[in-house]
Amino acid sequence: RYFIELYFIILSNAHPATFAEAFLRDIAQPNLSNQHISSLMIIAGNLVLNAKCKLDCFDKEADKKLLKRLLASLLPWLGSTQGFTRAIAQLLCFELVPQVVPNIDDQSIAPSLAAEENDWFLKVTYNFLKDNREMTRLRSKKQAYFEQYDLNFSLENLLQIPVDDADEADPRHVVDAVKEALRATYEEAHGEDAPLWKQIEELTVTTLDGDDDSDNDSDDENENKTHTNSTAIVQRKIIPLDSLNLALEDLKEKRFTNAAGTTKQRLCVCASLVDKVPNLGGLARTSEIFAAESLVVPDKRVKIDSTFKSLSVGASDWINMEEVKEENLLSWLLHKKHQQGYWIVGLEQTSSSVPLHKIRMPSKETPIVLLLGKEKEGIPVDLLQAVDQCIEIPQFGMIRSLNVHVSGAICIWEFTKKWKSFD
């Protein structure tokens, strides 16, 4: 998708009249998927903000009809439930409104609902975007994103880029290349300066891997080797077959029952995107109470945090906790899905999401991963490709989002009810 976006940006600069019109028609559609609108926002950001590829037809000196069409298509996305789309829409609206409304920065003209012109809504929106501290911070972050956007590529370089587990482009990071080069250079220059224990370890490995039948070995050396090998053999622990089977059965039983002896749900609660300790503590407690199979966290060291201990009430001692960093989450999800047969369910509002109470579990034996999103941004677009089904919690009040721990607890309980209904 990244290269498709890049290709469109380059073609838009080569044929602005044709592609600008096509772009405006596309972004004006109301029912775009998260992936679709994310790509369109990236393209719009580059065509409006990036000095290296900005289109003249979207410049403030150009025909304002095109600017107004673009602005009219962007304004509704200020209320998007997807954080990435919403943040770019805020940045673009903040940049485009002054180009459409004259003298909007004139402090002597206060925005009023009784203004004679029909731009009072744009003035109020612009002033809010300008004065709100959180939106100012997000704009700065997204502005830097477009300033650093790389537009240089060739077909040869494109075909040489490796892909990740999801067949997405995964170019080698320059830091990794520098790290490997420095390690090789250091080992070449300072190999003899290694600590004594490291030198002994390497000599031991070399000796054990060497040819024992060398003609140059003396009788004493052969005797020492025989003694060493005999010692190694004697130290190997031989487990009788019956004892081994009993140990494996016991291990299997422990895997599928909790400390209270209750059969665990085949439910893995994935909170790798959750970074607030109180939420992780609450999720640990809820997951243990309802006998979830495991809880996945971004850092297992959270277990020693005093806030986590207080809120989890010792749940980490009874539930299996696994560490998966955000950067490794996509490959972990795909492994769970394709190699272990897990059904991946994401808690995210999308065009295809199903209300929580209407979701149908394939079977009681089907293992499930419940993927929870970030506290504010939700589930990133690149992770949604690994999700089999998105679910959402029906809401009837004015506030449009729940705390991630509360949302997770509601989903865990709903899955528990459906799991028990199979009995």
Side-chain angles (χ1 to χ4, degrees):
R1 189 163 66 246
Y2 165 74
F3 290 107
I4 294 174
E5 295 161 1
L6 195 56
Y7 187 61
F8 189 95
I9 293 170
I10 293 174
L11 286 180
S12 296
N13 277 263
H15 308 281
T18 301
F19 282 89
E21 182 62 34
F23 174 76
L24 289 172
R25 285 199 305 269
D26 203 11
I27 201 172
Q29 299 180 50
N31 296 313
L32 299 173
S33 66
N34 284 339
Q35 293 89 340
H36 195 166
I37 187 58
S38 295
S39 291
L40 291 177
M41 285 294 177
I42 291 174
I43 293 171
N46 280 284
L47 297 182
V48 173
L49 304 170
N50 194 333
K52 293 176 286 188
C53 57
K54 178 186 286 190
L55 288 187
D56 292 338
C57 59
F58 291 148
D59 189 74
K60 61 184 178 181
E61 302 300 331
D63 185 358
K64 286 190 177 181
K65 290 183 179 179
L66 292 179
L67 290 176
K68 289 181 178 179
R69 286 178 60 190
L70 178 58
L71 182 59
S73 300
L74 292 171
L75 282 169
W77 293 104
L78 291 174
S80 172
T81 58
Q82 186 191 27
F84 181 81
T85 298
R86 188 169 63 249
I88 297 181
Q90 291 174 8
L91 173 61
L92 290 172
C93 288
F94 184 78
E95 293 292 329
L96 290 175
V97 169
Q99 300 181 33
V100 173
V101 181
N103 303 320
I104 196 168
D105 286 316
D106 190 344
Q107 299 299 321
S108 62
I109 305 176
S112 171
L113 300 183
E116 294 181 0
E117 59 272 19
N118 294 323
D119 54 17
W120 63 267
F121 172 75
L122 293 178
K123 290 182 178 180
V124 172
T125 302
Y126 175 80
N127 286 332
F128 185 83
L129 291 173
K130 181 177 67 173
D131 297 333
N132 184 276
R133 289 193 297 270
E134 182 66 15
M135 294 184 180
T136 301
R137 183 185 65 82
L138 285 175
R139 279 202 309 276
S140 176
K141 184 176 179 181
K142 293 304 178 185
Q143 183 73 50
Y145 170 80
F146 288 112
E147 290 175 355
Q148 300 170 7
Y149 202 86
D150 187 9
L151 296 170
N152 298 316
F153 84 104
S154 66
L155 184 59
E156 179 183 3
N157 292 335
L158 173 60
L159 296 176
Q160 290 177 349
I161 292 178
V163 297
D164 59 16
D165 295 335
D167 292 331
E168 292 283 349
D170 185 26
R172 188 186 186 196
H173 200 287
V174 65
V175 173
D176 295 329
V178 172
K179 183 179 177 181
E180 291 179 13
L182 290 176
R183 182 189 295 115
T185 304
Y186 181 86
E187 291 177 352
E188 181 180 351
H190 302 282
E192 297 179 355
D193 297 337
L196 181 60
W197 65 267
K198 184 67 175 176
Q199 296 183 41
I200 294 175
E201 181 185 51
E202 292 176 351
L203 289 173
T204 303
V205 173
T206 303
T207 302
L208 291 177
D209 291 342
D211 184 4
D212 291 342
D213 297 328
S214 174
D215 294 335
N216 295 328
D217 290 341
S218 64
D219 292 341
D220 292 339
E221 290 172 339
N222 286 330
E223 183 179 350
N224 291 334
K225 285 183 179 180
T226 302
H227 176 70
T228 302
N229 292 336
S230 300
T231 303
I233 293 172
V234 169
Q235 290 176 345
R236 290 176 185 168
K237 188 175 181 180
I238 301 174
I239 304 177
L241 185 59
D242 291 341
S243 299
L244 178 60
N245 288 335
L246 287 173
L248 291 175
E249 287 295 328
D250 184 58
L251 179 62
K252 182 178 179 181
E253 184 178 349
K254 289 181 179 179
R255 284 182 56 199
F256 293 106
T257 58
N258 62 10
T262 305
T263 302
K264 291 181 181 179
Q265 295 191 63
R266 299 303 309 276
L267 175 63
C268 175
V269 181
C270 181
S272 290
L273 299 174
V274 179
D275 55 12
K276 292 185 178 179
V277 175
N279 287 332
L280 290 172
L283 285 168
R285 183 174 182 177
T286 305
S287 299
E288 196 284 325
I289 286 175
F290 292 110
E293 181 180 277
S294 62
L295 173 66
V296 182
V297 296
D299 191 343
K300 286 181 70 173
R301 291 176 296 178
V302 72
K303 292 196 295 184
I304 64 176
D305 185 277
S306 59
T307 303
F308 179 87
K309 289 181 178 179
S310 174
L311 290 170
S312 65
V313 199
S316 60
D317 295 333
W318 307 111
I319 187 171
N320 178 39
M321 292 183 65
E322 181 180 354
E323 177 179 311
V324 177
K325 303 288 187 185
E326 182 179 351
E327 56 267 26
N328 302 323
L329 186 53
L330 178 58
S331 59
W332 181 85
L333 288 171
L334 292 172
H335 177 78
K336 284 284 188 182
K337 179 177 182 178
H338 298 305
Q339 304 300 324
Q340 300 183 17
Y342 275 77
W343 193 44
I344 313 297
V345 178
L347 181 56
E348 181 64 77
Q349 292 178 327
T350 67
S351 58
S352 59
S353 57
V354 175
L356 175 60
H357 61 284
K358 292 185 178 181
I359 190 172
R360 293 187 176 182
M361 293 170 57
S363 69
K364 184 175 182 178
E365 291 73 27
T366 302
I368 297 174
V369 171
L370 173 61
L371 177 61
L372 303 175
K374 298 181 180 181
E375 277 91 346
K376 293 184 179 180
E377 292 85 2
I379 299 176
V381 176
D382 61 320
L383 296 180
L384 289 176
Q385 61 186 302
V387 173
D388 294 307
Q389 179 66 65
C390 282
I391 57 174
E392 61 179 76
I393 300 173
Q395 300 170 32
F396 309 100
M398 294 297 295
I399 301 175
R400 67 181 183 181
S401 63
L402 290 164
N403 174 276
V404 67
H405 165 224
V406 176
S407 299
I410 293 173
C411 291
I412 293 170
W413 171 236
E414 186 65 30
F415 279 116
T416 301
K417 290 194 296 182
K418 294 183 182 299
W419 178 65
K420 294 295 289 182
S421 67
F422 285 106
D423 295 337

